[in-house]
Amino acid sequence: MKNLKMKAARAGKDLSQQELADQIDVSRQTISAIEKGNYNPSINLCIKICQALDRTLDDLFWPDE
Amino acid sequence: MSNTIFWAILLTCLLAMGAAIYYASKKRKFDERQEMIRLRSYKYGFSTMAILAVIILFLSEFIKIPIALAIIIPLVASLWVMCIYDILHSAYFGFNEKNTKVTNWLTIVWGLWIILDPITEGQAILSWEGIATLVVGLFLISISILSLYQLHREHKEDAAK
């Protein structure tokens, strides 16, 4: 399932995928895979993403009803 | 005496190259997704090697296969499977690696040299030794070309975003 919330949060902070990847020490392809729903990140990576985007885990990773 | 010196120099160069590759590999960083992909590719590579080893063992009952070829083919095939899987899932290079294009082009040149060197020295290509050399050279060239293509595809994706 695509993670549009994460994509929107990243766009809201005016960050490219590469810039976000550089901030949290992962590859750009991993950020792309997470946003497309092709990869489920570990909880540690989810926390790093939330910290980089100033959001909570619920905001970005809780599934929509 | 000169033979001994030659082998001593060759061994020293190989050890130095091995040490350089080892320390360079320590500097490469892979994220969790890449690590997962690489573990999966090791599994597929090992399976490929095991299956080919059994096939070659079976074929050796009917045709005489040189021991060098019997070892090289499963090894190169398993490396091939591992590398192709890693490249297609962007887990071949560490995310902190730069100059990947240069590395690929140098590997293509190396592969061509491996293939062409026996020919220029007048060795037969269709001998068992020639085939083994051809297999290794083609492996290096194909992996580098695929890697360059993948880099090009990712660059186009970046530009589109």
Side-chain angles (χ1 to χ4, degrees):
Chain A
M1 201 164 55
K2 287 190 180 185
N3 195 332
L4 297 172
K5 289 190 273 190
M6 178 178 151
K7 190 172 181 178
R10 180 175 60 78
K13 291 216 93 178
D14 208 20
L15 287 173
S16 66
Q17 287 184 338
Q18 186 63 62
E19 285 165 347
L20 178 59
D22 291 340
Q23 269 191 35
I24 60 175
D25 240 13
V26 296
S27 63
R28 185 201 66 78
Q29 291 80 8
T30 297
I31 299 294
S32 175
I34 295 170
E35 288 182 356
K36 286 183 187 168
N38 292 335
Y39 174 67
N40 289 325
S42 67
I43 191 68
N44 287 332
L45 184 52
C46 286
I47 289 170
K48 283 185 189 176
I49 292 170
C50 290
Q51 285 171 339
L53 298 178
D54 286 329
R55 292 284 201 274
T56 65
L57 285 170
D58 278 357
D59 290 338
L60 298 185
F61 295 104
W62 197 258
D64 295 324
E65 299 297 324
Chain B
M1 182 65 174
S2 62
N3 236 6
T4 313
I5 295 172
F6 168 74
W7 284 111
I9 293 172
L10 183 64
L11 188 62
T12 309
C13 289
L14 284 172
L15 286 172
M17 209 167 75
I21 291 170
Y22 173 76
Y23 284 112
S25 72
K26 285 289 173 193
K27 286 163 85 178
R28 295 161 82 184
K29 295 201 289 187
F30 297 101
D31 62 33
E32 59 179 51
R33 185 194 63 90
Q34 290 176 314
E35 289 284 359
M36 193 184 76
I37 298 287
R38 290 171 73 82
L39 286 172
R40 218 182 276 161
S41 76
Y42 295 154
K43 184 178 75 175
Y44 294 147
F46 177 78
S47 305
T48 305
M49 187 166 67
I51 291 168
L52 279 176
V54 168
I55 291 172
I56 286 173
L57 190 65
F58 175 71
L59 286 175
S60 66
E61 294 291 316
F62 306 104
I63 53 173
K64 188 168 164 30
I65 300 175
I67 188 91
L69 206 62
I71 292 170
I72 282 177
I73 287 181
L75 269 177
V76 173
S78 74
L79 278 173
W80 220 336
V81 165
M82 276 170 49
C83 291
I84 287 174
Y85 192 81
D86 285 343
I87 288 169
L88 293 178
H89 292 86
S90 307
Y92 188 67
F93 290 108
F95 65 84
N96 62 333
E97 277 189 85
K98 313 288 174 202
N99 302 322
T100 51
K101 272 190 186 169
V102 171
T103 307
N104 284 320
W105 281 112
L106 284 175
T107 309
I108 289 173
V109 168
W110 186 22
L112 284 169
W113 181 78
I114 287 175
I115 291 173
L116 295 174
D117 186 52
I119 298 172
T120 54
E121 288 185 5
Q123 291 176 19
I125 307 169
L126 292 180
S127 63
W128 287 117
E129 291 77 22
I131 289 172
T133 310
L134 196 63
V135 163
V136 171
L138 285 176
F139 162 73
L140 290 171
I141 292 171
S142 62
I143 292 304
S144 299
I145 289 175
L146 182 63
S147 179
L148 282 170
Y149 170 70
Q150 181 70 6
L151 285 170
H152 172 72
R153 230 174 59 168
E154 284 169 8
H155 183 69
K156 274 176 73 174
E157 262 182 40
D158 282 349
K161 284 189 168 60

